[in-house]
Amino acid sequence: MEIVLHPGLDDVRVIREQPDLLKQGFGYVVKVGGRQVRGTLRSFEAVFEERDCSGVIIRDLDDPEASIHRAEVFHHSASPADVFHQHLLQYLSNKCVGSCADCDRSCGSAYASRMLTPEVRRLLDLLSRPSECVLHAERIAREVPADAAGVAALLPSEDKWHRDRARQILLLPDDKEMVFQNRPVQHRRALRIAYAAFAGQSMARVSEGAGLLLGKLDRLFTEPAIGRPALLNEIPALLGQELGAGWHDRVTEKASLHTTTRVAQAAPELVRAILDVAWNDFDNTRPALIEWVDELAAHPARGFSSCAAVAAAIFATHDFDQVYEEVIGRWARDRKRRLRKAAAAAMASAANLDGAVALGFTVSPRVRADVGRKLEWLAHSSSAMERDTAAMVWGMGYIPRHPVQTARALTAVAANANASSGWTVSDAIEKLSGRYGSAWTIDVLAWWLDSDNDALRAGATRAFLNWLEEPRTGGADQLVALLDAEPSMVDRVATLWRVVLIDPEYSVSAWRHLGVWMRRGSRDARLNEPIRALARQLAAERAIRSRLSYWLSRASMTPPSAA
């Protein structure tokens, strides 16, 4: 059947709003004339899919040569990789791709199959239109890369694809649709930015965050506040087709079967792309975004400070010095732990977003270097708040490049730690141990125990026991294995055990951990001698020996598994 779209008439909206005009299961030829563009026609696709129809779009040959495209076909069932593969086969037909001596022109089929590696398929799945697959297949057939890596290099990168989507979400046309008469384009953008920053949060928080951003924008541009109309504009329409798709399916069940809460759902890659575009692609909006992030961090409601940290981290990957000086640095020295935690999360996240591949440290990215420089300054600061923030940065997963330099900075923090920040240091030790290994951890804690500083000795005790806690880490297994790998560690490990076994605050928990730890080691024949050596060293001290007798006497009356 045939559909003719007349210039000047809004036939697209009529079909979109009345899908019953399309007969179920039929095929249509859609003839396009005038200045109608493909972007408008794409709104057909959902309607065609709903009615199980197929469509071929044909442009008017009277259009200028530059605007004429091939006929477009809705491929409902085929994946982008399948469309790409079929068109690549067609372009490679009757073409030798291997410089064969006696080529029968069939090598293109093997080449096309060989190039469809999982990485190439992943990049192809990012393409949203079959026409994109066709254009890329044509380019690949023309250049014939030697391997799959060459094919992947010619396809759009994942970052570019997400950024293009973000631009489509935020760069709205200044339309005059009546449905938005009380909602300027700028306000819709603000809602979409808040939706990204509050991904995973309830829509109530998204709405409040959007309102805070609208106030900043109105004040920055000296516009009169128009307020936020109630019961006028529906959220899916304000979010747009990209963010609002499947809105009615985005429901999270809570404790009550009769209560549902809608949450903002956006992939982390898209969140980063939207905030990237908001920061870089608009004129003079950075002051409003900075003020907005600062207000979110200070907001008393739960979840706002973590959203502020996410946004600040993404902004900091573009302009670290500006974001640090205006918000992160102030948060780092604030008396409120919530703000210091937001500062630490922003620094750790910014470093990880800008980090080397799998933290392999083959390169030294600029933002990671900036974070390391500021962290070193915070660790040696005279402010207890800033030192506490430095420890939280390590505890949140930031892994510095130099273990020795990290040990010195962490020692400077631990030497001045108070009771409340002592556990923050312990968390930092636990995280760093996962990167630097057990030997580094034991060396640092033994070094602290040899010190005359009471805060360092207390920090070593807390960190050692915290490291052994079940089931948070595999510290026990790591330490037992370390005794076999480095027998010289027995003396240092025994020193740590003596302290925690005698300390009244940790004694009961420490003895139980020691029992679990030694049982695990005794199951491995290689560790029998290191375990005996450790037990002899511990039993050589009278205070330990008396307690050991007490625990063994209790164990004799318990089941074998507990003993």
Side-chain angles (χ1 to χ4, degrees), residues 206-230:
V206 173
S207 179
E208 186 169 355
L212 296 176
L213 179 56
L214 294 179
K216 305 299 180 188
L217 292 171
D218 289 340
R219 185 165 62 255
L220 178 66
F221 298 111
T222 63
E223 293 287 343
I226 66 169
R228 295 161 62 195

Side-chain angles (χ1 to χ4, degrees), residues 483-484 487 490 518 521-522 524-537:
L483 293 178
D484 179 55
V490 173
M518 298 186 76
S522 64
D524 191 332
R526 298 173 303 167
L527 300 179
N528 286 339
E529 185 54 38
I531 288 294
R532 287 195 182 97
L534 176 64
R536 283 195 296 268
Q537 289 206 27

Side-chain angles (χ1 to χ4, degrees), residues 4 6 14 64 81 98 163 174 181 227 286 393 405 503:
V4 179
H6 302 283
V14 172
R163 205 175 191 284
D174 189 10
Q181 58 181 336
R286 295 187 181 189
V393 175
Q405 184 178 356
D503 194 308

Side-chain angles (χ1 to χ4, degrees), residues 461-478:
T461 304
R462 278 192 300 264
F464 183 70
L465 193 63
N466 183 60
W467 195 29
L468 299 174
E469 284 294 330
E470 300 284 350
R472 293 175 58 188
T473 67
D477 293 327
Q478 297 172 18

